Amino acid sequence: MFCNQCEQTTRGDVCHQWGACGKSPEVDALQDLLVHCLRGLSQVALQAKSLGIGTRSSDEFTCEMLFATLTNVNFTTADFMTFVNRAIALRESLKLQIQATGHKVIESAITSFLPASDQSQQIQQGKDLEFAFISQSAQNVDIFSLKLTVLYGLKGVAAYAFHALELNQHDEGLYKFCHEVLATLDTQDKTLEDWLNLALKVGEMNLKAMELLDAGNTETFGHPTPTVVPLGQTVGKAILVSGHDLLALKAILAATAGTDIKVYTHGELLPAYGYPQLKQAYPHLYGHYGTAWQNQTHEFEHFPGAIAMTTNCLMPPHEGYKDRVFTLGPVGYPGLRHVSISDVSPIINKALELPGFTEAQDKGTVTTGFARNAVLGVADAVIDAVKAGKIRHFFLVGGCDGAKPGRNYYTDLVEQMPEDCVVLTLGCGKFRFFDKNLGDIGGIPRLLDVGQCNDAYSAIQIAVALANAFGVNVNQLPLSMVLSWYEQKAIAVLLTLLYLGIQNIRIGPTLPAFLSANVVKLLSETYNLQLITTPEQDLAATLG
């Protein structure tokens, strides 16, 4: 196997025997086979689009399937065999529709490819295709590096687009772009500059995907408002919902309304409390349990209720709690029961079987919901505080958390910031410091939880609005971005920031293994993208 798409690759290089995430070589091969089949589907879908044939089913399927190949989403060989066969069925259906218009299908090796019917043979096909792709692309290590950057970034775009389409937010240009990227991965005549420009285009389209998801979330659940969230528990039956999917959370809340079941969030669902149509509409959405995804094996072991995994962030479950974990959407793991968002009754029935919490416990609170409307609603106070010298600097400290050593940097950085600095945070990276009491500056909290990783869109809107208010560009603001990354959505967000021309971003705890030395040098020279050092050094460099 060859997998270097996440931050926790073996020895910081590549996973070649078993995935650090728990992914088997067999699943890795089937994921590569699926991407290969999606590339063929995309070529046919583009021809169909050019003829005015509707391709919405293929568009949505492509986004969901790219999402399924993200780190920590799906570990099930049988699922990927089903996905592969579905990709071929959609491709062949579009071919028939093209032929029905009197046009000849543009055939190629990839659009004519047929997977084997046997699992072991499909796995071997995936391994062979992976080897061929690497062999074909690795003749120029820098182009191969950017090609992987484009592919991994596209996976992040697809994940956000999938969440958006669940909320009935679509963009034909975004779908077409996803197909174009997949269809062009075999191209051998692109220069290094061409691939860099395509990577920046991925960033541009990710901005569109995040905008769509933001619209879907706010139109469905209202604009987030600052909301205090308990970190403890209350007596009663319990369901824990982890991941990112607000729509899945709402389905569970609606199905448990009127029962004595309390619903708790985990990981990236903490920001759900800021949305009025969730917390206010469902008072049994009680509180947040646990921290970031990499701590789930310990935290889930002690949760006395049913557990629902709605998106990526699933770790291989332990036997002690495996029988009470359910998966939804593209998530899958052997032995775990998969349920549909339209019928979450198995989760509820399991929660009713289990004891729930028998004692209440107060573990304090945190506040979330500082999205763009909330922050810009007090923009005048923020601007006045900056002009008066009360706020010296803003730090956006966000991204993904992870288990690899070095991530205590982000805790230390926040703790060491001077009291005239404000921290905006988003993503699960916040769990390194989300419960710290940093106080406030003239009533403005020094720690502002903007939301999930996709709420980088909100953070960007905040930065642009402040820049406009001060009559400068974003790079001239007293604002520094210090990001942590783990998986492919974080890469998509980074590409968005580079597309927007944001300079001086610090990223860690390590640089992506798929970035070659020359590509790192290019990004450093063009954008001053740099690896984190120590909190002391980075604060000194930033604040002077």
Side-chain angles (χ1 to χ4, degrees), residues 4-264:
N4 64 356
Q5 66 178 6
C6 86
E7 193 266 335
Q8 298 192 170
T9 50
T10 304
R11 294 188 296 275
D13 182 20
V14 62
C15 293
H16 57 86
Q17 292 182 324
W18 198 275
C21 64
K23 179 172 64 175
S24 71
E26 292 76 19
V27 169
D28 177 70
L30 290 172
Q31 288 184 353
D32 287 328
L33 177 60
L34 174 60
V35 171
H36 183 81
C37 293
L38 292 176
R39 288 162 59 195
L41 171 60
S42 288
Q43 289 188 12
V44 177
L46 288 172
Q47 185 183 4
K49 286 179 183 294
S50 71
L51 297 172
I53 298 171
T55 61
R56 182 57 56 82
S57 294
S58 296
D59 299 340
E60 295 185 0
F61 177 79
T62 298
C63 289
E64 184 176 7
M65 291 303 96
L66 285 175
F67 190 3
T69 69
L70 258 71
T71 306
N72 291 89
V73 176
N74 197 308
F75 299 80
T76 308
T77 54
D79 284 355
F80 283 103
M81 287 190 67
T82 299
F83 300 157
V84 164
N85 293 334
R86 175 64 175 157
I88 299 301
L90 285 168
R91 186 193 73 191
E92 295 305 302
S93 175
L94 285 178
K95 285 183 179 181
L96 291 175
Q97 294 178 63
I98 291 171
Q99 291 169 347
T101 66
H103 290 81
K104 185 178 180 180
V105 177
I106 301 174
E107 294 284 2
S108 66
I110 200 166
T111 61
S112 303
F113 174 82
L114 291 176
S117 57
D118 176 76
Q119 177 175 296
S120 62
Q121 291 178 325
Q122 279 201 9
I123 290 170
Q124 188 58 52
Q125 283 181 314
K127 291 178 179 179
D128 293 342
L129 289 165
E130 177 185 65
F131 181 76
F133 179 71
I134 295 170
S135 300
Q136 180 190 59
S137 304
Q139 296 171 15
N140 184 312
V141 67
D142 299 321
I143 286 180
F144 184 47
S145 171
L146 284 172
K147 186 178 287 192
L148 291 178
T149 303
V150 166
L151 176 59
Y152 298 158
L154 187 70
K155 291 185 178 187
V157 175
Y160 291 142
F162 172 74
H163 285 308
L165 69 86
E166 283 188 304
L167 297 165
N168 202 32
Q169 297 289 325
H170 302 274
D171 184 88
E172 174 61 26
L174 177 59
Y175 292 142
K176 185 179 179 183
F177 176 75
C178 288
H179 290 306
E180 287 173 342
V181 172
L182 288 171
T184 199
L185 285 175
D186 271 338
T187 302
Q188 298 299 307
D189 57 356
K190 288 185 181 295
T191 64
L192 187 70
E193 183 179 4
D194 291 334
W195 283 107
L196 178 60
N197 289 336
L198 185 56
L200 295 176
K201 185 68 176 181
V202 170
E204 178 185 359
M205 298 312 291
N206 186 58
L207 183 62
K208 167 57 69 175
M210 292 193 297
E211 180 184 17
L212 287 173
L213 180 51
D214 179 86
N217 284 337
T218 55
E219 290 175 15
T220 305
F221 308 114
H223 280 277
T225 58
T227 305
V228 177
V229 183
L231 296 178
Q233 65 243 13
T234 189
V235 175
K237 305 289 186 179
I239 294 176
L240 183 64
V241 189
S242 187
H244 302 72
D245 199 318
L246 297 176
L247 197 62
L249 174 62
K250 182 181 179 181
I252 292 171
L253 288 169
T256 51
T259 72
D260 68 345
I261 297 175
K262 295 293 189 292
V263 177
Y264 297 78

